[in-house]
Amino acid sequence: MTVDHAVGHNTLRGITLKIVSVTVFVGMQTCIKTAGDVPAGQIVFFRSFFAIFPIIAFLAFKGELATAFTTRRPFNHIARGLVGVGAMGLGFFALTRLPLPEAITLNYAQPLLVVVFSSVFLGETIRVYSWSAVAIGLAGVLIISWPELTLLNSGAGLDDQEVLGVMAALIAAAISAVAMLLVRNLVQTEKTATIVLWFSSTASVLSLFTLPFGWQALTPMQAALLVVAGFCGGLGQILMTAAYRHAEASVVAPFEYTSMILGVVVGYFVFGDVTSLNTLAGGVIVVAAGIFIIWRERQLGLERTRTRKAAPPQG
């Protein structure tokens, strides 16, 4: 096998793993939505606690379990857990109150907000092309949200659960963007397995603090669905990590947006949700903006690599 053939084979494997991971995550969201009106904190517990089991099994199989929890930065992991639990809880709240395609598509605001927050909090230089893409992408988010958010102008809309769902989804995307910045900091010194295990464990413990706020007795079917959702969460994490190991992030990342297609299909056939024109139009705009940002970052990365290679040796 030639080197080029091997690279192409690995890229194809990475893309395949990414699409499978996205499918598994949509399956997780479908289970959560099917479980019905369950308190968000209770969903976070099931999603986090039962995700630990496939991750531990995978690490044990690879012989990496003994050192998976080892870290010199426990407080950084706990901070990431606190922020992540907030994002997850709000995201699940939105998922139980919005059509599946809308809940999935609104989450696409997250990578756009990562660009904004990287500039605001980390002082990273963001070029005009990326700012333009972010502005266009956020306009797409507004198109998706507008039918619900305009209900706030009338008294009749104030109790509408979809309004709360849209607001929760957008706040979840913003908090999730902050969580991504914390993860970006952690990956400089920590292994992926360590980050994932610490997060799942921290989220499981933190979610128990929501017990006094109205956890409910679950039917056997609800409990089964939430346990499966947890396993899907852990499995999806493993598959996603493997995808990025086989191919460059800039190649793999755009396939995250296949979840929009899956969301539309599953939403229609499982929940009878007919995707609105606003969601489709806004979704296409957000996806295009996200893919442009990924492409632009790849081009800048290639330019930086060429500059380093062309620079004369020092000394």
Side-chain angles (χ1 to χ4, degrees), residues 175-189:
I175 298 173
S176 183
V178 174
M180 287 306 299
L181 296 187
L182 295 174
V183 170
R184 190 189 288 181
N185 177 261
L186 280 168
V187 294
Q188 295 173 12
T189 59

Side-chain angles (χ1 to χ4, degrees), residues 121-239:
F121 298 125
L122 303 182
E124 292 185 7
T125 302
I126 310 297
R127 288 172 169 77
V128 66
Y129 293 106
S130 295
W131 279 123
S132 302
V134 167
I136 292 167
L138 292 178
V141 171
L142 187 61
I143 290 170
I144 301 164
S145 313
W146 193 252
E148 276 76 35
L149 295 184
T150 47
L151 291 174
L152 291 172
N153 296 327
S154 65
L158 288 175
D159 295 325
D160 190 272
Q161 291 297 303
E162 286 202 354
V163 177
L164 295 175
V166 168
M167 294 174 73
L170 294 176
I171 296 169
I175 298 173
S176 183
V178 174
M180 287 306 299
L181 296 187
L182 295 174
V183 170
R184 190 189 288 181
N185 177 261
L186 280 168
V187 294
Q188 295 173 12
T189 59
E190 307 290 285
K191 293 185 294 186
T192 302
T194 305
I195 296 170
V196 171
L197 273 180
W198 266 87
F199 174 67
S200 293
S201 304
T202 305
S204 299
V205 173
L206 290 173
S207 62
L208 292 174
F209 286 98
T210 66
L211 260 167
F213 299 101
W215 280 33
Q216 64 190 41
L218 302 176
T219 66
M221 179 56 75
Q222 284 178 314
L225 284 166
L226 293 179
V227 168
V228 171
F231 272 91
C232 284
L235 179 60
Q237 197 76 48
I238 293 166
L239 291 166

Side-chain angles (χ1 to χ4, degrees), residues 235-302:
L235 179 60
Q237 197 76 48
I238 293 166
L239 291 166
M240 184 174 67
T241 303
Y244 286 103
R245 189 173 292 122
H246 284 289
E248 290 182 23
S250 57
V251 174
V252 171
F255 290 90
E256 177 70 35
Y257 297 116
T258 55
S259 60
M260 182 179 173
I261 300 166
L262 291 169
V264 169
V265 173
V266 174
Y268 180 76
F269 286 105
V270 178
F271 304 108
D273 295 331
V274 178
T275 308
S276 70
L277 190 59
N278 281 70
T279 300
L280 287 174
V284 169
I285 292 170
V286 175
V287 168
I291 290 175
F292 178 81
I293 287 171
I294 293 165
W295 174 82
R296 184 64 186 160
E297 285 303 308
R298 174 179 167 79
Q299 295 302 109
L300 291 172
L302 292 173

